[in-house]
């Protein structure tokens, strides 16, 4: 069990550019979540998947954000036309999920820190 | 609406005990506790379900009061490694989407 991995760990980009992040969940975990965290705040929910199906997307998420989990394994989060306000840590988490029980434990990856100049 | 944590910050000497509280304005299905050190990912500590089931680390305990929509995390005989920011995450609907609290910064000094 190797844990949740994310790539890249750091990304610096210029305003207006597109960026894509990858998350590899713990193997056999059905649920995959994306959160965003800014300095001094708790993680903020963005979206989540049950296998390859995207079940919910935060209303706070603009149309510039899109996420996929094409084969129910890894996931990508893309931000188009980045803005300085997008600068944050983007966290991915996974869980066995599905039964709303103790298996719901979400395990977080190390995150991708995005800086938009 | 995010849950409210108290205190916002606390400083303890090694070996002292601490209680961190998490309060929600909505009915809770489950509460999840995490510790995060600066620049690192949140690390799972405890999960507590409506109905009483819970899972977590041996040296950490927590309670869940469904009627009061509150949870408390108990840290006993604190160690230097306990330093960090503690977050509670609440699931209001049983769909596992977590709303995280405002955080409690815990500093342990020798």
């Amino acid at each position: 069990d190797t844990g949740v991995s994310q790539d890249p760990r750091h990304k610096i980009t210029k305003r207006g550019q597109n960026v894509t992040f990858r998350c590899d969940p713990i193997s056999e975990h059905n649920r995959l979540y994306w959160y965003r965290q800014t300095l001094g705040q708790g993680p903020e929910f963005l979206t989540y998947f049950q296998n390859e199906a995207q079940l919910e997307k935060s209303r706070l998420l603009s149309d510039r954000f899109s996420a996929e989990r094409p084969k129910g394994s890894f996931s990508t989060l893309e931000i188009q036309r980045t803005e300085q306000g997008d600068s944050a840590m983007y966290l991915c988490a996974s869980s066995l999920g599905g039964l709303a029980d103790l298996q719901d434990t979400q395990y977080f990856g190390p995150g991708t820190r995005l800086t938009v100049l | 609406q995010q849950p409210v944590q108290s205190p916002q910050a606390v400083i303890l000497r090694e070996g002292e005990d601490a209680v961190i509280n998490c309060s929600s304005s909505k009915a809770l299905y489950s509460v999840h506790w995490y510790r995060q050190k600066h620049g690192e990912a949140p690390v799972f500590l405890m999960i507590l379900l409506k109905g009483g089931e819970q899972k977590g680390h041996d040296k950490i305990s927590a309670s869940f009061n469904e009627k009061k929509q509150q949870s408390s995390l108990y840290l006993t005989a604190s160690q230097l490694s306990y330093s960090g920011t503690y977050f509670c995450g609440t699931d209001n609907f049983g769909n596992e989407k977590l709303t995280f609290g405002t955080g409690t910064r815990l500093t342990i000094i020798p």
Side-chain angles (χ1 to χ4, degrees):
Chain A
D1 194 351
T2 56
V4 180
S5 62
Q6 292 187 245
D7 183 69
R9 296 290 306 276
H10 303 273
K11 179 70 177 179
I12 299 174
T13 190
K14 293 183 179 179
R15 188 177 54 186
Q17 297 295 306
N18 299 344
V19 294
T20 301
F21 310 141
R22 176 179 171 127
C23 170
D24 287 88
I26 294 171
S27 59
E28 299 181 354
H29 274 196
N30 298 315
R31 291 219 170 181
L32 187 148
Y33 308 80
W34 285 99
Y35 293 88
R36 176 172 61 192
Q37 186 176 28
T38 53
L39 196 62
Q41 301 295 315
E44 175 188 27
F45 170 79
L46 295 179
T47 188
Y48 82 105
F49 294 84
Q50 170 79 28
N51 297 314
E52 66 274 9
Q54 187 172 17
L55 296 187
E56 187 172 345
K57 186 175 176 180
S58 169
R59 287 172 291 178
L60 300 176
L61 209 59
S62 80
D63 291 342
R64 297 183 296 106
F65 288 72
S66 62
E68 292 182 341
R69 195 182 182 197
K71 297 183 179 179
S73 56
F74 73 92
S75 175
T76 57
L77 177 68
E78 181 183 17
I79 309 174
Q80 296 181 328
R81 305 181 302 282
T82 52
E83 302 173 355
Q84 288 185 325
D86 296 333
S87 294
M89 175 76 87
Y90 289 84
L91 294 164
C92 175
S94 71
S95 73
L96 280 170
L99 298 176
D101 61 13
L102 292 178
Q103 295 181 53
D104 289 355
T105 302
Q106 295 184 27
Y107 296 95
F108 281 84
T112 294
R113 182 169 295 283
L114 173 66
T115 302
V116 182
L117 302 176
Chain B
Q1 195 169 11
Q2 69 179 153
V4 176
Q5 291 183 230
S6 63
Q8 289 186 322
V10 59
I11 300 174
L12 297 177
R13 291 199 177 276
E14 200 172 3
E16 292 183 334
D17 302 337
V19 179
I20 300 172
N21 302 301
C22 174
S23 181
S24 174
S25 60
K26 298 181 179 179
L28 296 174
Y29 191 92
S30 65
V31 180
H32 306 232
W33 286 96
Y34 290 83
R35 176 173 59 220
Q36 186 175 31
K37 295 183 182 286
H38 183 69
E40 299 180 8
V43 173
F44 167 76
L45 297 176
M46 292 282 296
I47 177 174
L48 303 101
L49 299 183
K50 178 180 176 180
E53 288 184 283
Q54 59 178 256
K55 178 181 78 172
H57 292 274
D58 292 339
K59 296 186 179 181
I60 295 175
S61 63
S63 64
F64 181 14
N65 187 321
E66 295 173 35
K67 287 185 179 179
K68 292 186 176 181
Q69 299 166 185
Q70 294 176 345
S71 177
S72 295
L73 185 71
Y74 305 98
L75 304 171
T76 57
S78 57
Q79 305 171 19
L80 293 175
S81 62
Y82 286 10
S83 291
T85 301
Y86 289 74
F87 291 101
C88 66
T90 56
D91 176 0
N92 299 107
F93 304 103
N95 63 1
E96 307 171 42
K97 181 186 76 173
L98 297 181
T99 302
F100 283 89
T102 49
T104 296
R105 182 186 293 271
L106 176 65
T107 304
I108 309 295
I109 56 177

